[in-house]
Amino acid sequence: QVQLVESGGGLVQAGGSLRLSCAASGRAFSTFAMGWFRQAPGKEREFVAAISWSGTDYADSVKGRFTISRDNAKNTVVLQMNSLKPEDTAVYYCGATRTLFVTTETSEYDYWGQGTQVTVSS
C-alpha cells in the first residue's frame, strides 16, 4: 500500500513558478514509476510528466517549462513548473504505478494523491 500527499500548489501570475511535491509512504518507493497529472474543471485528467528508472516523459504542452525529479531516499517526487500559463490552471495529482517504465495512461496508475490546486492568473 502506498499513500501519496501532494503539496505546493497555490496562486501565481502568468510567467511565474511553482514547485509541487509528492510525499509517498510505504516501502519500495523506488520500484514505482511516478507521474503527475492534472484536471481542469469540466475536463478529463491528463498526463503532465512521469519518471522511472528508465527516464522521464512530458506532455508536449509542458516540455521545456516543467521538470520532474525524484529523491528515493526521501520518498519524494517533485514537479518544478516554470513559465506558467493560465491554461496550466488545474488540480494536480501525483500517481504511483507498479509498471517498470514511464506511462502516460491514467488507467495504469495504482495509487493517487488527493490533489493540489494550481491557479495561474493572466
Side-chain angles (χ1 to χ4, degrees):
Q1 187 75 12
V2 175
Q3 292 185 329
L4 305 173
V5 179
E6 302 97 334
S7 62
L11 173 64
V12 65
Q13 289 188 335
S17 298
L18 281 175
R19 182 180 176 90
L20 305 184
S21 292
C22 174
S25 64
R27 296 182 177 181
F29 170 77
S30 62
T31 66
F32 286 84
M34 301 296 295
W36 284 97
F37 288 72
R38 65 189 181 187
Q39 188 166 15
K43 295 187 177 181
E44 293 187 350
R45 190 170 299 190
E46 66 175 7
F47 170 74
V48 175
I51 186 168
S52 77
W53 66 270
S54 64
T56 58
D57 195 11
Y58 296 91
D60 288 342
S61 60
V62 307
K63 281 181 180 177
R65 300 189 297 123
F66 291 10
T67 302
I68 188 171
S69 61
R70 67 189 295 166
D71 185 337
N72 290 333
K74 296 182 178 180
N75 282 16
T76 301
V77 61
V78 171
L79 184 69
Q80 177 67 43
M81 306 188 296
N82 299 327
S83 302
L84 283 161
K85 305 175 181 180
E87 51 263 44
D88 293 319
T89 295
V91 177
Y92 283 70
Y93 296 91
C94 173
T97 173
R98 293 186 180 92
T99 61
L100 296 178
F101 303 98
V102 294
T103 175
T104 65
E105 299 296 327
T106 56
S107 61
E108 295 187 5
Y109 283 77
D110 302 292
Y111 304 99
W112 293 97
Q114 82 290 348
T116 185
Q117 177 70 47
V118 171
T119 302
V120 184
S121 63
S122 58

